Amino acid sequence: DQQVKQNSPSLSVQEGRISILNCDYTNSMFDYFLWYKKYPAEGPTFLISISSIKDKNEDGRFTVFLNKSAKHLSLHIVPSQPGDSAVYFCAARESGTYKYIFGTGTRLKVLA
Amino acid sequence: SQTIHQWPATLVQPVGSPLSLECTVEGTSNPNLYWYRQAAGRGLQLLFYSVGIGQISSEVPQNLSASRPQDRQFILSSKKLLLSDSGFYLCAWAGTVDSPLHFGNGTRLTVT
């Protein structure tokens, strides 16, 4: 039972344009959401997070949007850079627990 | 600042042999500790987490086990490895309630 889903396994974007990565979840008890970036043979690196009491959080080129009614979150990267090419994972934590559940990842390729 | 150490970086083991992967965290006390596995082409699967010394929660029934003998030390073990245990194993820690996971660099385990 995949509680966190990233339905697009890959995405290609031109340098300078916006990258939009999507994530859907099924568990209404999730209250904290995160995005990670991962290069091959390395551990994931934390990018940005959002609490369920908010619907938007920005950090530089990265913005995360949360739509609780649709159980959907997205990561916007503007402008996209070639160094952003990596696999992006969304994750969610269930309220009252310490469990972080990850999606299957989306491979982003930013074309120069 | 906090750092997480995970070793070895790569490991090749025959089927039926034992396994011990170690993870230590520096610069923080009483962290929540986690073991994840990324199988080829798949997302990050939560295996174990611990909120304190001797406290282990298991998420996936299998022939792996985890132990936390010290506050900042987390060990992943197996008595007899299976081919299906091959994968990329990641240790992570988290601090306060609304804090992200921070990952180590991972161990690539190949069971032959």
Side-chain angles (χ1 to χ4, degrees):
Chain A
D1 177 28
Q2 189 71 29
Q3 298 186 68
V4 179
K5 303 177 184 178
Q6 294 178 256
N7 292 319
S8 298
S10 64
L11 173 70
S12 291
V13 172
Q14 206 66 34
E15 180 179 7
R17 307 294 291 269
I18 184 172
S19 295
I20 299 176
L21 298 109
N22 294 303
C23 181
D24 296 297
Y25 61 95
T26 58
N27 190 338
S28 58
M29 296 301 292
F30 287 150
D31 66 351
Y32 183 55
F33 303 88
L34 312 94
W35 283 97
Y36 285 81
K37 174 181 180 181
K38 185 181 181 303
Y39 294 117
E42 294 183 9
T45 301
F46 169 69
L47 283 175
I48 191 169
S49 62
I50 187 167
S51 167
S52 59
I53 63 173
K54 297 183 177 180
D55 55 17
K56 177 182 175 182
N57 189 28
E58 283 182 86
D59 185 1
R61 297 187 298 116
F62 302 93
T63 302
V64 56
F65 295 92
L66 176 62
N67 182 334
K68 289 189 293 291
S69 61
K71 293 189 176 68
H72 178 83
L73 69 156
S74 61
L75 175 69
H76 293 207
I77 306 174
V78 182
S80 300
Q81 300 173 354
D84 295 329
S85 297
V87 177
Y88 289 78
F89 289 96
C90 66
R93 190 199 63 205
E94 185 173 332
S95 174
T97 77
Y98 300 96
K99 293 165 50 176
Y100 294 74
I101 307 301
F102 282 75
T104 51
T106 296
R107 183 177 302 279
L108 172 67
K109 187 172 184 179
V110 179
L111 306 170
Chain B
S1 64
Q2 302 90 356
T3 55
I4 180 168
H5 303 280
Q6 187 181 347
W7 66 94
T10 59
L11 191 59
V12 180
Q13 293 284 101
V15 168
S17 64
L19 172 73
S20 181
L21 301 180
E22 189 166 341
C23 171
T24 59
V25 180
E26 295 178 357
T28 187
S29 59
N30 197 31
N32 295 331
L33 297 172
Y34 301 78
W35 281 110
Y36 284 84
R37 177 173 62 197
Q38 183 182 21
R42 303 188 65 180
L44 300 177
Q45 181 186 34
L46 176 61
L47 301 176
F48 302 94
Y49 67 96
S50 171
V51 300
I53 295 174
Q55 302 179 58
I56 308 294
S57 296
S58 174
E59 290 300 301
V60 183
Q62 54 201 339
N63 68 322
L64 299 173
S65 63
S67 62
R68 185 171 177 172
Q70 300 180 42
D71 181 43
R72 290 170 289 175
Q73 183 185 29
F74 206 23
I75 298 172
L76 182 70
S77 304
S78 174
K79 292 182 180 178
K80 289 185 177 181
L81 284 169
L82 306 172
L83 285 174
S84 58
D85 292 323
S86 294
F88 192 52
Y89 287 82
L90 291 154
C91 182
W93 73 273
T96 57
V97 173
D98 276 350
S99 68
L101 286 176
H102 301 279
F103 285 87
N105 283 330
T107 295
R108 170 72 60 193
L109 172 66
T110 303
V111 182
T112 61

